[in-house]
């Protein structure tokens, strides 16, 4: 069924998902809903961040009776160290993604598996980085840029090259506060050094390095992942797609791509159209090969090819429970180890491909840029041959499907704004129309909503309920990651969703021909949002903390999300979280994160688990910023 009216309700989706849970129970399969019950209640020491395991004298847990660990570290030092360790893990993960993309660019060649698809962006990066391009073959330029990008991970002196793209005010702030990111690996390594036993226990020092380590991710590794992916696979432009479990096709070979690295998914998409493999699919009784995505890999191929989005983080098990999946092909990050035993309850092949994500009960097919074509061919062939093992009588695909428009890169947003008649300043190729909409009050502001799913928040309730509230208040949304897929699955990423918006936002959507919720990509592509806010601030002539813009992660759950939060705040964007980080055990650390760092970077965190209140606080903050600007 299509969405009732414009968007699905929670009740409509839950009714179908409950049927899949019944299938799991009948199969004796474990799902996250069952495991949440087994893991509840959670450890209070862990939730407060006051459990220390960094040496073998402990573990030490801070209580009123035991206010210090064996080494003498108090709750504030322990919470601060744990927070920094969390950040370092997330920064390393996203940045390693960028490193893989840089390596893929280095392997690009005219007759190879990977090609340069956005030459203009490549040449622009080369120019900004001081790499000579005159008279050179484009692939020679690509290899030099890729090598320079890889060198950023271990550069000996100076700061990350990408921070030159930030506003002058941000660059000055980062240097003055001593948080400008140096080599990516140096910041992660330094963070782990600081959190070793016998090193830093001063909250201010630990939180300052958390911001710096986060910036090394957002304005280093993640920026590399985003920009180099655009060079390789094309800079996204608006493209129509579909979302939810109904994109799985009963009579087709269904391959699910899941994870984060587009180097893999791009090749799977390509070989799903290979004539030999399509012919093989027909031989085994299928009508063809259908690719759908989960998590950020899904965002990557949706915004470049229109590949449908089957689901986000907490949907990954439901997809297998349909019984219609020949292969779940994964790369890295956010992959449930539970997919292994769950797939064995069906005919589904669970294929892992990366040494960073080796998972039990999977078929491992190593995927490398140098052998990408043969690796992808083998993976798709195995999936196609598995179709004959499917039990068609056991297939249940919920009739849930919505329309969505994806692919709003910064370049795409500017191009779309050029279609809007601007009565104040006759200029194209800038964000001036957006600035005018905000200063005039037609738009009150913008929210960058990002992040994961978390069972601590009823799945997607945080995302969807907040989105509806903000849209009704004339606040435009830019989304990435699992938040974007939630919007798509509920129908909020359709241009028709303007019907639920306030009059001002509705007018903007009509004039610019855009949905009220703009898909900016994967969680790595939050780096696009940083470019967006910095460029808008420069256009406006103000600093980023002054913009009537806030960030929000209502259902975050991973180390990556903590790293992201740190670089978003350090970029000057107040960030609102619906799940509280593990910092409640220290009032000093909590005060720094929710207030003190505002003196350093002009922004801070707000924690609120009540989604209605969280929405009110965001709207209130946007209105405060408008008042301060006199608009």
């Amino acid at each position: 069924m299509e969405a009732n009216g414009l968007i699905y309700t929670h009740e409509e989706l839950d009714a179908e998902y409950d049927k899949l849970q019944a299938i799991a129970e009948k199969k004796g399969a474990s799902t996250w809903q069952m495991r949440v019950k087994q893991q509840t209640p959670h450890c209070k020491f862990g939730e407060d961040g006051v459990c220390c395991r960094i040496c073998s004298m402990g573990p030490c847990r801070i209580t009123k009776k035991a206010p210090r660990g064996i080494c003498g570290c108090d709750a504030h030092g322990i919470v601060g160290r744990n927070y920094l360790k969390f950040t370092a893990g997330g920064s390393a993960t996203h940045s390693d993604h960028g490193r893989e993309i840089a390596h893929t660019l280095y392997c690009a060649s005219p007759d190879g598996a990977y090609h340069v698809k956005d030459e203009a962006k490549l040449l622009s990066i080369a120019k900004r980085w001081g790499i000579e391009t005159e008279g050179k073959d484009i692939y020679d330029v690509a290899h030099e840029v890729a090598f320079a990008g890889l060198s950023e991970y271990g550069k000996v002196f100076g700061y990350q090259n990408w921070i030159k793209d930030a506003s002058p005010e941000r660059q000055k702030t980062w240097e003055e506060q001593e948080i400008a990111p140096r080599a990516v690996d140096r910041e992660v390594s330094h963070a782990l050094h600081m959190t070793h036993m016998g090193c830093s226990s001063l909250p201010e020092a630990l939180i300052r390095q958390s911001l710096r380590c986060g910036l090394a991710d957002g304005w280093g590794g993640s920026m590399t992942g985003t920009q180099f992916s655009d060079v390789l696979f094309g800079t996204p432009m608006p493209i129509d797609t579909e979302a939810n479990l109904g994109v799985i096709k009963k009579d087709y070979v269904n391959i699910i791509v899941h994870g984060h690295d587009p180097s893999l998914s791009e090749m799977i998409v390509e070989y799903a159209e290979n004539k030999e493999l399509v012919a093989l699919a027909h031989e085994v009784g299928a009508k063809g090969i259908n690719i759908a995505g989960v998590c950020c890999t899904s965002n990557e191929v949706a915004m470049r090819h229109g590949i449908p989005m089957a689901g986000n983080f907490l949907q990954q098990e439901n997809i297998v429970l349909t019984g219609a999946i020949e292969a779940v092909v994964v790369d890295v990050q956010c992959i449930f180890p539970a997919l292994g035993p769950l797939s064995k309850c069906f005919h589904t092949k669970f294929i892992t491909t990366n040494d960073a994500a080796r998972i039990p009960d999977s078929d491992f097919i190593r995927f490398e840029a140098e052998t990408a074509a043969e690796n992808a061919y083998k993976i798709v062939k195995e999936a196609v041959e598995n179709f004959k093992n499917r039990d068609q009588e056991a297939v249940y695909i919920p009739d849930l499907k919505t329309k969505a428009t994806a692919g709003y890169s910064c370049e795409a947003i500017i191009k779309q704004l050029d279609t809007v008649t601007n009565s104040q300043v006759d200029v194209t190729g800038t964000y001036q129309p957006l600035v005018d909409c905000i200063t005039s009050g037609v738009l009150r502001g913008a929210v960058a909503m990002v992040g994961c799913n978390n069972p601590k928040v009823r799945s997607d309730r945080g995302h969807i309920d907040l989105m509806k509230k903000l849209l009704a208040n004339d606040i435009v949304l830019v989304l990435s990651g699992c938040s974007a897929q939630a919007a798509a699955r509920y129908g909020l990423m359709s241009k028709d969703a303007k019907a639920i918006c306030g009059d001002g936002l509705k007018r903007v959507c009509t004039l610019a021909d855009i949905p009220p919720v703009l898909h900016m990509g994967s969680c790595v592509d939050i780096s696009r949002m940083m470019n967006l806010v910095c460029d808008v601030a420069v256009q406006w002539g103000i600093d980023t903390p002054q913009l009537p813009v806030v960030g929000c992660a209502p259902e975050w759950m991973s180390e990556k999300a903590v790293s992201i939060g740190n670089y978003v705040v350090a970029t000057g964007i107040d960030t609102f979280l619906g799940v509280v980080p593990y910092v409640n055990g220290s009032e000093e650390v909590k005060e720094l994160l929710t207030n003190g760092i505002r003196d350093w970077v002009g922004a801070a965190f707000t924690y609120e688990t009540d989604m209605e209140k969280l929405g009110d606080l965001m709207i209130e903050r946007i209105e405060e910023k408008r008042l301060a600007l006199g608009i």
Side-chain angles (χ1 to χ4, degrees):
M1 60 180 176
E2 290 290 342
N4 182 22
L6 292 175
I7 60 174
Y8 280 122
T9 65
H10 295 308
E11 291 73 23
E12 287 172 320
L13 296 188
D14 285 349
E16 289 298 315
Y17 299 153
D18 286 346
K19 293 175 184 177
L20 293 173
Q21 283 302 299
I23 292 173
E25 291 175 11
K26 185 177 179 180
K27 290 276 189 180
S30 168
T31 64
W32 66 263
Q33 291 94 329
M34 302 172 190
R35 296 189 295 273
V36 165
K37 293 178 182 178
Q38 294 166 353
Q39 289 292 335
T40 305
H42 298 296
C43 171
K44 183 63 175 172
F45 294 102
E47 283 193 325
D48 286 347
V50 292
C51 178
C52 182
R53 299 182 296 110
I54 68 172
C55 80
S56 64
M57 292 191 295
C60 295
R61 300 181 299 183
I62 301 302
T63 65
K64 289 183 178 179
K65 292 183 178 180
R68 291 183 180 272
I70 292 171
C71 72
C73 191
D74 62 14
H76 311 301
I78 290 172
V79 170
R81 288 191 307 212
N82 286 338
Y83 185 83
L84 178 52
K85 274 184 174 287
F86 230 74
T87 302
S91 182
T93 301
H94 259 171
S95 294
D96 220 29
H97 171 146
R99 194 192 320 254
E100 287 294 325
I101 298 297
H103 174 70
T104 302
L105 180 59
Y106 192 78
C107 293
S109 66
D111 55 354
Y114 298 105
H115 308 106
V116 172
K117 292 188 177 179
D118 192 333
E119 293 187 10
K121 178 163 281 192
L122 173 63
L123 293 173
S124 175
I125 294 169
K127 181 179 179 180
R128 300 200 306 275
W129 286 10
I131 295 172
E132 182 59 50
T133 62
E134 189 68 31
K136 290 183 180 178
D137 180 82
I138 195 67
Y139 284 92
D140 289 336
V141 176
H143 298 156
E144 285 192 53
V145 169
F147 187 84
L150 289 166
S151 299
E152 290 290 282
Y153 285 82
K155 71 189 306 178
V156 181
F157 300 112
Y159 303 127
Q160 288 290 294
N161 274 337
W162 293 114
I163 70 171
K164 298 171 187 174
D165 293 346
S167 63
E169 289 84 357
R170 281 297 94 188
Q171 295 178 54
K172 181 180 178 183
T173 294
W174 295 336
E175 290 191 37
E176 288 178 347
Q177 294 299 326
E178 297 184 355
I179 59 172
R182 301 161 296 186
V184 176
D185 292 347
R186 178 178 181 180
E187 299 303 358
V188 173
S189 180
H190 188 58
L192 295 178
H193 185 183
M194 288 179 68
T195 56
H196 189 274
M197 189 272 159
C199 288
S200 294
S201 56
L202 181 68
E204 290 88 343
L206 294 163
I207 298 307
R208 195 176 292 275
Q209 180 59 21
S210 295
L211 297 178
R212 193 170 208 171
C213 195
L215 285 168
D217 169 7
W219 288 91
S222 283
M223 197 68 75
T224 299
T226 294
Q227 300 297 326
F228 285 9
S229 288
D230 286 354
V231 170
L232 280 164
F233 312 125
T235 298
M237 289 291 163
I239 187 170
D240 292 333
T241 185
E242 295 178 318
N244 221 322
L245 295 177
V247 304
I248 298 168
K249 297 180 180 180
K250 185 173 182 179
D251 298 324
Y252 283 70
V253 172
N254 288 297
I255 301 175
I256 299 297
V257 289
H258 175 16
H260 288 74
D261 186 350
S263 298
L264 169 65
S265 54
E266 284 282 331
M267 295 305 296
I268 299 298
V269 169
E270 179 177 335
Y271 276 87
E273 297 177 354
N274 178 275
K275 290 182 180 180
E276 183 180 327
L277 293 174
V278 171
L280 180 61
H282 293 154
E283 286 179 25
V284 298
K287 291 182 178 179
I289 303 172
N290 180 48
I291 307 293
V294 174
C295 280
C296 283
T297 283
S298 178
N299 285 311
E300 295 279 2
V301 292
M303 66 184 176
R304 293 191 175 94
H305 304 286
I307 297 297
M309 298 181 275
N312 50 6
F313 179 63
L314 288 184
Q315 284 292 308
Q316 58 187 283
E317 290 174 324
N318 278 344
I319 287 160
V320 176
L321 289 170
T322 64
I325 307 303
E326 274 58 62
V328 177
V329 184
V330 305
D331 42 73
V332 291
Q333 303 168 30
C334 299
I335 302 152
F336 277 178
L339 289 179
L342 178 62
S343 294
K344 290 185 178 298
C345 295
F346 300 87
H347 75 297
T348 303
K349 283 182 174 290
F350 177 44
I351 300 174
T352 53
T353 62
N354 193 299
D355 277 331
R358 299 296 298 268
I359 302 173
D361 296 314
S362 68
D363 297 330
F364 182 67
I365 300 176
R366 189 184 306 277
F367 186 88
E368 295 178 316
E370 291 85 351
T371 55
E374 60 189 81
N375 299 152
Y377 182 92
K378 180 178 181 181
I379 290 168
V380 175
K381 186 172 186 287
E382 288 201 8
V384 170
E385 291 174 338
N386 194 31
F387 180 81
K388 60 181 178 290
N389 297 318
R390 185 198 294 183
D391 179 1
Q392 292 285 17
E393 298 300 316
V395 170
Y396 177 72
I397 303 172
D399 186 18
L400 301 170
K401 188 163 60 176
T402 58
K403 296 177 181 178
T405 302
Y408 286 94
S409 60
C410 295
E411 292 87 343
I413 291 173
I414 288 177
K415 185 175 181 180
Q416 211 75 24
L417 288 172
D418 283 345
T419 66
V420 181
T421 301
N422 187 340
S423 60
Q424 295 184 35
V425 180
D426 185 18
V427 7
T428 58
T430 75
Y431 292 108
Q432 190 61 46
L434 176 60
V435 173
D436 290 345
C437 285
I438 295 174
T439 55
S440 67
V442 175
L443 292 179
R444 305 308 294 175
V447 169
M449 191 176 295
V450 304
C452 331
N453 298 124
N454 191 321
K456 290 181 177 179
V457 180
R458 193 170 179 185
S459 184
D460 286 331
R461 291 322 198 253
H463 296 136
I464 300 304
D465 293 347
L466 280 174
M467 287 180 208
K468 292 179 181 178
K469 184 183 185 75
L470 296 167
L471 296 177
N473 282 273
D474 292 321
I475 295 171
V476 68
L477 301 175
V478 291
L479 270 60
S480 72
C482 287
S483 182
Q485 291 172 323
R489 285 172 39 243
Y490 275 79
L492 295 180
M493 218 164 259
S494 164
K495 293 176 183 178
D496 292 334
K498 65 186 178 185
I500 66 169
C501 299
D503 291 340
L505 180 53
K506 188 182 300 182
R507 180 183 170 196
V508 170
C509 290
T510 300
L511 289 173
D513 190 29
I514 58 173
V517 177
L518 300 180
H519 179 283
M520 292 201 80
S522 67
C523 54
V524 165
D525 294 330
I526 296 170
S527 57
R528 292 192 203 279
M529 298 178 182
M530 301 305 98
N531 287 139
L532 178 63
V533 295
C534 283
D535 290 347
V536 170
V538 170
Q539 182 82 46
W540 200 327
I542 59 179
D543 196 5
T544 51
Q546 296 175 270
L547 291 171
V549 173
V550 300
C552 179
E555 301 182 31
W556 75 272
M557 63 85 199
S558 70
E559 291 173 316
K560 296 181 299 178
V562 174
S563 177
I564 291 166
N566 285 324
Y567 76 68
V568 171
V569 165
T571 304
I573 305 169
D574 283 302
T575 298
F576 293 73
L577 305 179
V579 176
V580 181
Y582 299 149
V583 298
N584 277 341
S586 168
E587 284 302 318
E588 287 186 24
V589 172
K590 190 173 180 180
E591 167 62 18
L592 275 170
L593 292 171
T594 59
N595 187 37
I597 59 175
R598 193 178 299 280
D599 294 333
W600 305 351
V601 295
F605 290 100
T606 296
Y607 311 140
E608 177 53 68
T609 58
D610 184 310
M611 293 300 154
E612 186 69 22
K613 291 180 181 177
L614 189 66
D616 290 338
L617 289 170
M618 285 193 285
I619 294 170
E620 180 182 318
R621 187 73 182 117
I622 286 172
E623 293 301 328
E624 286 175 358
K625 289 172 178 280
R626 292 184 61 86
L627 183 62
L629 287 167
I631 59 174

